[in-house]
């Protein structure tokens, strides 16, 4: 959806550039009146005492500050200005004087225009701030900064509800959700995110929205939801016809959700027409697309196939706002238990979408059992239900109406909140318990919650992939440093902590109650426990690239959205911005909080994995020592590498150069031995010790994984999902937490799918053994394998003198 939104943004910007400015209608006093319905847009409320600030899209663009309807409160280059560019070198340029400010309306586009100081001999700097309608409950948002070829003209796209037509009160009250016959709530709010354009009769088009968003080339009546556009009509007042206004809620008709729209347009028989949309279930279409079916009895009929209309599902299943399906029914009817940390005699028992048998008779979904000297005391912590809920892309179950909690005068009862967090592998599935006064919070990590997990790879402007997966922390979290100069009150001296992960949620533990699947979190430390947690954004990231300061490198910008309510503006949600850039000495690196501006927390993340490969020449008297700055590694610590017919010692080899590959976290040594055999040795930083050998007619590739090379790369190695797949003892329970406070029954961790996988592996091994025991077949396999470059190498473990190659 986000890539589609970017595509629409580019198309929209192309339309902006191509607009006919001879049709501009100029406003006055920060207001402008459109020519179709004579509606007046007033933007005086967009004037801000702080101004607006936005970073450029490239490293060398600097930072833009501007204000609307009055000058900036602070000077720009010691002069009064409405818009200012601060370059990366600190130089300030006036790109808009307040005296030049003009407001225009043009075929639905609303534009503030400013003229600044001289850009070159022929032209001045100009700034266009284009306002786009956004009915969302937010003050403003920026879509980007664009330059013309000369970089003298700057365009900023700004979304705001002030650029929308005023919605009639009866349209505001219409709800986009409905309860199905089986009690499931169907939420159609995802359809409000954009206008939907489809073909109509007589070469015209229908625009459908809830309501339709006013924008360039879409001048439908305020509050309309279905609008017919006559492409052959040149008179704008006749070009757009309101075919339907949503004044009533969605209802069910013949077991299908239906919206009925009223219209002022008259039919052939002089009666008022109307429109109707019938939603039909299609599980394979998230939002889907409406289709026009024709007119019958003065009613324009549309059918809309979408997964949002599906409701005949089994319990413990829910659809997200974008139509994502979450099915946790396979977790139901299983008894889970968690030992309460620091309370050896207390255990939490709970079940998913079902009653917990350990909690006794009744519909109890969870309980605390205290076992003291053989005497059991059970506290009920919530009545179970199978109604999954989705809040800001976080899926959870809420069990309420538990036993009395605390003083009876307070009338508080225990409750349980089970949040479903993403997991990267079967062995990454775990349960983390958090006690929050009268609420028991359970973070349940499962592969079933992985709808929003992406691969942490982004492409730069040259269509090259940049891989940030090495930065993912699968076991812990990054504890960010804070710029004490810019944020003196946000440091550890004030007991403030900032936790962050890359492309994944932060990892939960007993005293950390950030909402499930948050990518960054602010906490206050009290008695060595995290409290007052604030989510800085859901981990589903948006990622982009820009050119780095070092030639040939790229910076990566990652953003997390949908955090907690902003403390300084309750109408906004907190967002997090992380800027990754090359630093050879940083190793994998760690984040630094640099600023907090307008509900956005901005981090910098220096890391070596964005740096270019470095070729290093060995000194003749140090043929066995590799150096990188102040770090060094002695190759003698690696010993010898054995193949079928040679013993390779790197210290005895005539090595003259080696390559440091920061992107691959490895050092690459290439040389030709005395027998003129090409040998490539790859020393990769890893927690585990492994050696792989690939022998072919073209040469030998040796890959050694170990922590020995890590200091040379300034890296503290992290565990990966594959390294978390460790063998476990055949006990009745499976310990799943680094703090040993999490227990899941073995039965819930060994599904039938594992048995199926094991059967396949056994069969594959049997077939493979039959093939390789024949020497002729083995030679064929060996001859098929060629010497490969390091960018696309498949490795095999060094087995024995038979040189068995297991690719």
């Amino acid at each position: 959806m986000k890539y589609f939104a970017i595509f629409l943004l580019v198309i929209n910007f192309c339309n902006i550039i191509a607009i006919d400015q001879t049709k501009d209608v100029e406003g006055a006093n920060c207001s402008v009146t459109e020519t179709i319905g004579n509606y007046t847009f007033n933007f005086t409320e967009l004037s801000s005492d702080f101004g607006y600030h936005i970073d450029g899209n490239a490293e060398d663009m600097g930072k833009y500050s501007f204000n609307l309807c009055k000058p900036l409160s602070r000077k720009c280059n010691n002069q009064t200005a409405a818009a200012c560019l601060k370059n990366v070198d600190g130089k300030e340029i006036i790109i808009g004087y307040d005296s030049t400010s003009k407001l225009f309306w043009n075929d639905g586009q609303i534009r503030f225009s400013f003229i600044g100081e001289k850009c070159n001999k022929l032209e001045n700097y100009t700034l266009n701030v284009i306002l786009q309608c956004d009915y969302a409950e937010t003050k403003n948002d920026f879509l980007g900064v664009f330059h013309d070829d000369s970089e003298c003209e700057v365009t900023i796209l700004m979304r705001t509800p002030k650029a929308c037509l005023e919605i009639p009160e009866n349209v505001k009250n219409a709800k986009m959700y409905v309860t199905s016959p089986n009690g499931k709530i169907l939420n159609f709010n995802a359809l409000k995110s954009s206008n939907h354009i489809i073909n109509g009769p007589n070469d015209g088009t229908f625009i459908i929205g809830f309501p339709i968003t006013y924008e360039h080339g879409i001048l439908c009546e305020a509050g309309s939801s279905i609008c017919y556009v006559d492409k052959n009509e040149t008179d704008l007042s006749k070009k757009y016809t309101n075919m339907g206004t949503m004044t009533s809620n969605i209802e069910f008709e013949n077991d299908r959700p239906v919206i009925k729209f009223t219209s002022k347009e008259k039919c052939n028989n002089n009666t008022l027409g109307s429109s109707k949309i019938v939603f039909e279930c299609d599980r394979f279409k998230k939002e889907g697309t409406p289709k026009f079916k024709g007119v019958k009895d003065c009613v324009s009929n549309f059918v809309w196939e979408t997964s949002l209309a599906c409701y005949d599902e089994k319990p413990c299943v829910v659809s997200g706002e974008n139509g994502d399906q979450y099915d946790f029914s396979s977790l139901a009817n299983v008894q889970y238990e968690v030992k309460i940390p620091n309370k050896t005699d207390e255990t939490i028992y709970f079940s998913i979408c079902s009653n917990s048998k350990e909690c006794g008779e009744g519909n109890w979904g969870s309980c605390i059992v205290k076992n003291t000297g053989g005497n059991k005391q059970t506290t009920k912590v919530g009545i179970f239900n199978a109604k999954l809920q989705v809040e800001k892309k976080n899926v959870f179950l809420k069990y309420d109406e538990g036993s009395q909690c605390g003083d009876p005068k307070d009338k508080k009862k225990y409750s349980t909140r089970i949040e479903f967090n993403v997991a990267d592998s079967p062995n990454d599935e775990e349960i983390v318990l958090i006690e929050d006064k009268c609420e028991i919070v359970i973070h349940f990590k499962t592969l079933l919650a992985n709808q929003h997990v992406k691969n942490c790879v982004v492409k730069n402007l040259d269509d090259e992939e940049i891989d940030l997966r090495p930065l993912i922390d699968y076991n812990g979290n990054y504890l960010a440093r804070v710029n004490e100069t810019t944020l003196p009150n946000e440091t550890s001296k004030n007991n403030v902590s900032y936790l962050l992960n890359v492309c994944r949620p932060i990892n939960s533990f007993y005293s950390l109650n950030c909402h499930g699947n948050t990518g960054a979190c602010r906490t206050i430390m009290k008695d060595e426990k995290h409290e007052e947690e604030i989510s800085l954004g859901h981990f589903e990231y948006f990622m982009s690239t820009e050119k780095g300061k070092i030639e040939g490198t790229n910076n990566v910008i990652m953003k997390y959205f949908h955090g907690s309510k902003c403390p300084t503006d309750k109408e906004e949600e907190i967002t997090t911005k992380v800027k990754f850039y090359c630093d050879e000495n940083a190793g994998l690196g760690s984040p630094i909080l640099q600023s907090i501006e307008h509900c956005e927390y901005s981090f910098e993340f220096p890391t070596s994995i964005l740096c270019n490969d470095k070729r290093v020449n060995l000194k003749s008297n140090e043929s066995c020592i590799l150096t990188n700055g102040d770090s060094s590694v002695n190759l003698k610590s690696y010993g010898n590498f054995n193949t079928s017919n040679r013993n390779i010692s790197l210290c005895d080899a005539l090595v003259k150069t080696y390559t440091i590959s920061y992107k691959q976290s490895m050092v690459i040594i290439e040389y030709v031995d005395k027998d003129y055999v090409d040998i490539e040795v790859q020393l990769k930083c890893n927690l585990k010790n492994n050696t792989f050998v690939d022998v072919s007619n073209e040469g030998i590739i040796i890959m050694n994984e170990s922590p020995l090379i890590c200091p040379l790369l300034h890296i503290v190695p992290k565990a990966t999902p594959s390294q978390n797949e460790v063998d476990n003892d055949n006990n009745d329970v499976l310990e799943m937490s680094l703090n040993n406070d999490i227990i899941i029954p073995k039965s819930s961790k060994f599904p039938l799918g594992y048995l199926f996988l094991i059967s396949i592996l056994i069969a594959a091994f049997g077939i493979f053994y039959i093939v390789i025991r024949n020497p002729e077949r083995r030679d064929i396999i060996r001859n098929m394998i060629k010497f490969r470059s390091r960018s696309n190498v498949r490795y095999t473990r060094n087995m024995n003198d038979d040189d068995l190659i297991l690719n």
Side-chain angles (χ1 to χ4, degrees):
M1 284 298 298
K2 286 184 176 176
Y3 294 112
F4 180 65
I6 295 171
F7 170 75
L8 291 179
L9 173 61
V10 173
I11 297 298
N12 196 13
F13 185 65
C14 292
N15 291 335
I16 290 166
I17 295 175
I19 201 165
D20 183 0
Q21 295 189 3
T22 61
K23 297 181 180 180
D24 281 347
V25 175
E26 187 172 350
N29 300 320
C30 214
S31 299
V32 66
T33 301
E34 53 93 20
T35 60
I36 308 302
N38 291 321
Y39 180 82
T40 299
F41 295 91
N42 190 323
F43 298 107
T44 53
E45 290 186 20
L46 291 183
S47 174
S48 170
D49 292 336
F50 303 102
Y52 300 98
H53 310 274
I54 180 172
D55 292 330
N57 292 337
E59 179 67 24
D60 56 352
M61 277 191 177
K63 189 166 189 174
Y64 295 87
S65 302
F66 69 93
N67 207 352
L68 302 177
C69 305
K70 70 176 184 181
L72 288 164
S73 57
R74 70 175 190 83
K75 304 288 186 182
C76 178
N77 196 20
N78 297 320
Q79 299 182 59
T80 300
C84 183
L85 166 62
K86 187 174 183 179
N87 282 337
V88 291
D89 58 4
K91 181 182 178 182
E92 292 184 333
I93 301 171
I94 297 175
I95 57 174
Y97 291 102
D98 183 61
S99 59
T100 67
S101 173
K102 292 184 178 182
L103 174 61
F104 300 102
W105 177 93
N106 188 321
D107 194 18
Q109 185 208 81
I110 300 170
R111 181 178 84 256
F112 277 91
S113 182
F114 304 87
I115 300 175
E117 61 184 79
K118 278 286 186 182
C119 176
N120 53 45
K121 292 182 180 180
L122 299 177
E123 53 189 336
N124 290 58
Y125 283 100
T126 58
L127 169 66
N128 295 307
V129 179
I130 296 175
L131 305 181
Q132 295 188 328
C133 168
D134 186 355
Y135 284 115
E137 295 180 2
T138 179
K139 281 192 173 181
N140 56 76
D141 187 21
F142 297 104
L143 294 181
V145 178
F146 301 88
H147 278 244
D148 67 353
D149 292 338
S150 67
E151 297 195 357
C152 293
E153 183 174 2
V154 181
T155 300
I156 296 175
L157 304 185
M158 178 176 176
R159 297 179 69 92
T160 171
K162 295 298 179 183
C164 303
L165 297 176
E166 188 172 343
I167 304 175
E169 204 63 35
N170 58 347
V171 176
K172 284 183 182 179
N173 296 331
K175 307 299 182 186
M176 285 296 291
Y177 54 84
V178 63
T179 302
S180 68
N182 65 354
K184 180 182 177 181
I185 297 176
L186 302 183
N187 191 336
F188 292 89
N189 277 307
L191 304 182
K192 297 169 64 174
S193 60
S194 61
N195 294 327
H196 306 267
I197 303 174
I198 61 173
N199 293 328
N202 303 320
D203 295 326
T205 58
F206 284 108
I207 302 172
I208 300 177
F210 303 99
I212 293 170
T213 301
Y214 185 87
E215 59 186 66
H216 177 239
I218 299 180
L219 310 180
C220 300
E221 183 180 317
S224 60
S225 286
I226 301 178
C227 178
Y228 178 74
V229 183
D230 186 349
K231 291 188 175 181
N232 298 319
E233 180 61 65
T234 56
D235 186 346
L236 291 181
S237 63
K238 299 178 181 179
K239 189 179 184 72
Y240 302 91
T241 303
N242 181 5
M243 301 294 293
T245 300
M246 184 177 175
T247 56
S248 59
N249 298 334
I250 304 175
E251 59 188 42
F252 263 81
E253 188 177 279
N254 297 323
D255 293 328
R256 293 181 296 179
V258 171
I259 304 180
K260 295 179 180 180
F261 304 86
T262 59
S263 175
K264 299 176 184 177
E265 299 299 316
K266 292 184 177 181
C267 270
N268 296 331
N269 58 6
N270 212 30
T271 59
L272 292 178
S274 63
S275 297
K276 182 169 76 172
I277 296 178
V278 177
F279 292 100
E280 294 186 347
C281 170
D282 188 326
R283 302 183 190 281
F284 300 100
K285 297 178 180 177
K286 284 190 175 182
E287 291 187 8
T289 304
K291 295 178 181 178
F292 176 61
K293 291 296 185 180
V295 180
K296 183 179 180 181
D297 298 332
C298 289
V299 179
S300 298
N301 293 283
F302 299 83
V303 171
W304 199 323
E305 296 177 342
T306 171
S307 63
L308 301 176
C310 301
Y311 64 90
D312 56 339
E313 298 168 333
K314 53 191 173 184
C316 218
V317 177
V318 70
S319 297
E321 291 184 358
N322 295 325
D324 300 312
Q325 295 286 318
Y326 297 91
D327 185 349
F328 299 127
S329 58
S330 61
L331 303 176
N333 300 310
V334 177
Q335 179 75 67
Y336 300 96
E337 63 177 90
V338 186
K339 292 288 185 183
I340 298 180
N342 306 321
K343 297 178 182 179
T344 56
D345 58 346
E346 293 188 15
T347 303
I348 292 283
Y349 292 93
F350 71 96
S351 292
I352 305 293
C353 298
S354 55
N355 66 308
S356 178
K357 297 177 182 178
E358 194 70 28
C359 296
E361 296 182 359
N363 295 324
W364 301 109
S366 58
C367 62
I368 302 173
V369 176
K370 185 175 183 179
N371 195 334
T372 306
N375 296 320
K376 283 189 177 182
Q377 179 183 346
T378 302
T379 303
K380 309 298 172 44
V381 198
I383 298 173
F384 93 89
N385 63 76
K387 295 180 180 178
L388 291 171
Q389 301 180 57
V390 182
E391 180 184 77
K392 296 180 182 178
K393 300 188 178 181
N394 295 315
V395 185
F396 65 94
L397 272 172
K398 187 71 182 293
Y399 296 164
D400 292 313
E401 296 300 320
S403 302
Q404 178 69 40
C405 177
D407 191 336
K409 295 179 181 179
D410 295 335
K411 297 181 179 180
K412 291 183 178 180
K413 293 185 177 182
Y414 278 104
S415 64
T416 303
R417 179 185 174 103
I418 304 172
E419 300 183 354
F420 296 93
N421 296 3
V422 305
D424 279 279
S425 68
N427 260 66
D428 191 34
E429 294 183 318
E430 66 175 6
I431 300 173
V432 176
L433 172 68
I434 303 161
E435 288 185 284
D436 191 1
K437 298 177 182 178
C438 293
E439 183 178 54
I440 302 298
V441 179
I442 296 170
H443 286 186
F444 198 108
K445 292 183 71 173
T446 170
L447 294 170
L448 300 175
N450 284 14
Q451 278 81 345
H452 297 292
V453 173
K454 294 185 282 189
N455 63 2
C456 211
V457 175
V458 65
K459 289 188 176 182
N460 63 13
L461 298 176
D462 297 321
D463 206 35
E464 298 168 335
E465 287 191 346
I466 300 174
D467 189 352
L468 295 187
R469 282 176 293 184
L471 300 182
I472 298 174
D473 197 327
Y474 294 98
N475 293 317
N477 302 302
Y478 290 99
L479 178 62
R481 290 174 289 155
V482 177
N483 187 326
E484 296 185 4
T485 303
T486 58
L487 299 169
N489 297 325
E490 296 294 314
T491 66
S492 57
K493 297 177 183 177
N494 297 290
N495 298 320
V496 181
S497 291
Y498 284 91
L499 303 175
L500 182 141
N501 207 346
V502 178
C503 301
R504 292 294 186 275
I506 60 175
N507 290 287
S508 303
F509 49 87
Y510 174 60
S511 69
L512 181 63
N513 189 19
C514 287
H515 278 305
N517 295 322
T518 186
C521 186
R522 179 189 187 272
T523 75
I524 301 294
M525 296 298 295
K526 294 182 180 179
D527 299 326
E528 298 184 356
K529 292 183 178 180
H530 294 276
E531 296 187 7
E532 301 179 30
E533 295 92 338
I534 297 175
S535 170
L536 305 185
H538 186 273
F539 84 96
E540 185 189 11
Y541 61 84
F542 173 75
M543 201 178 282
S544 60
T545 66
E546 62 185 21
K547 291 182 179 179
K549 290 183 178 179
I550 301 174
E551 185 176 354
T553 67
N554 293 273
N555 298 337
V556 177
I557 309 298
M558 182 182 72
K559 286 192 174 185
Y560 292 146
F561 300 93
H562 304 297
S564 301
K565 289 292 183 181
C566 180
T568 58
D569 188 342
K570 297 301 182 182
E571 295 184 12
E572 300 259 4
E573 293 176 339
I574 295 174
T575 61
T576 291
K577 173 184 173 183
V578 186
K579 179 179 178 179
F580 302 89
Y581 61 88
C582 163
D583 183 343
E584 289 184 357
N585 298 315
L588 293 179
S590 61
I592 307 165
L593 179 63
Q594 295 288 10
S595 65
I596 304 172
E597 293 184 3
H598 311 293
C599 305
E600 182 176 82
Y601 289 67
S602 295
F603 295 83
E604 290 187 354
F605 201 122
T607 175
S608 63
I609 69 168
L610 293 179
C611 298
N612 300 320
D613 289 356
K614 183 164 69 173
R615 194 84 168 174
V616 182
N617 294 319
L618 273 171
K619 297 178 182 178
S620 58
N621 60 341
E622 295 182 353
S623 60
C624 204
I625 297 177
L626 307 184
T627 59
N628 184 19
D630 296 332
S631 301
S632 63
V633 170
N634 194 323
L635 294 178
K636 288 182 180 179
S637 58
Y638 281 91
N640 298 338
F641 298 108
N642 298 316
T643 66
S644 58
N645 54 7
R646 52 176 36 86
N647 188 317
I648 297 174
S649 172
L650 294 179
C651 287
D652 296 336
L654 300 175
V655 178
K656 295 182 179 180
T657 63
Y658 58 94
T659 300
I660 298 175
S661 176
Y662 292 106
K663 296 180 178 67
Q664 301 179 79
S665 299
M666 68 168 60
V667 171
I668 303 165
I669 301 171
E670 297 173 292
Y671 69 98
V672 179
D673 73 355
K674 59 182 181 358
D675 297 324
Y676 301 102
V677 174
D678 290 324
I679 297 177
E680 179 177 304
V681 180
Q682 302 179 357
L683 306 177
K684 185 174 180 62
C685 172
N686 203 322
L687 275 175
K688 283 192 171 183
N689 289 283
N690 289 309
T691 299
F692 303 89
V693 177
D694 191 355
V695 180
S696 74
N697 293 332
E698 297 181 15
I700 300 172
I701 293 180
I702 300 171
M703 179 177 178
N704 174 268
E705 295 181 335
S706 78
L708 292 175
I709 201 66
C710 299
L712 195 73
L713 299 164
H714 309 292
I715 291 177
V716 177
K718 296 180 181 293
T720 63
S722 61
Q723 291 166 348
N724 290 330
E725 301 287 344
V726 295
D727 294 330
N728 296 283
D729 296 330
N730 295 321
N731 299 327
D732 291 335
V733 295
L734 178 63
E735 298 289 341
M736 298 284 299
S737 168
L738 293 176
N739 299 324
N740 295 323
D741 58 348
I742 296 157
I743 301 176
I744 297 181
K746 175 74 80 171
S747 60
S748 70
K749 295 298 296 172
F750 199 78
L752 291 177
Y754 282 9
L755 293 175
F756 179 68
L757 178 60
I758 291 171
S759 300
I760 292 176
L761 291 174
I762 292 173
F765 182 81
I767 295 171
F768 181 74
Y769 175 74
I770 292 172
V771 172
I772 65 169
R773 69 178 183 174
N774 185 309
E776 294 180 1
R777 295 190 186 121
R778 189 164 65 238
D779 289 339
I780 292 173
I781 294 174
R782 183 185 293 120
N783 292 332
M784 290 171 61
I785 299 172
K786 301 297 183 183
F787 189 77
R788 291 170 285 272
S789 68
R790 64 175 176 268
S791 61
N792 188 28
V793 175
R794 294 178 297 170
Y795 300 102
T796 60
R797 190 177 300 275
N798 186 20
M799 300 294 289
N800 51 42
D801 289 343
D802 286 338
D803 270 347
L804 183 62
I805 298 179
L806 305 176
N807 282 337

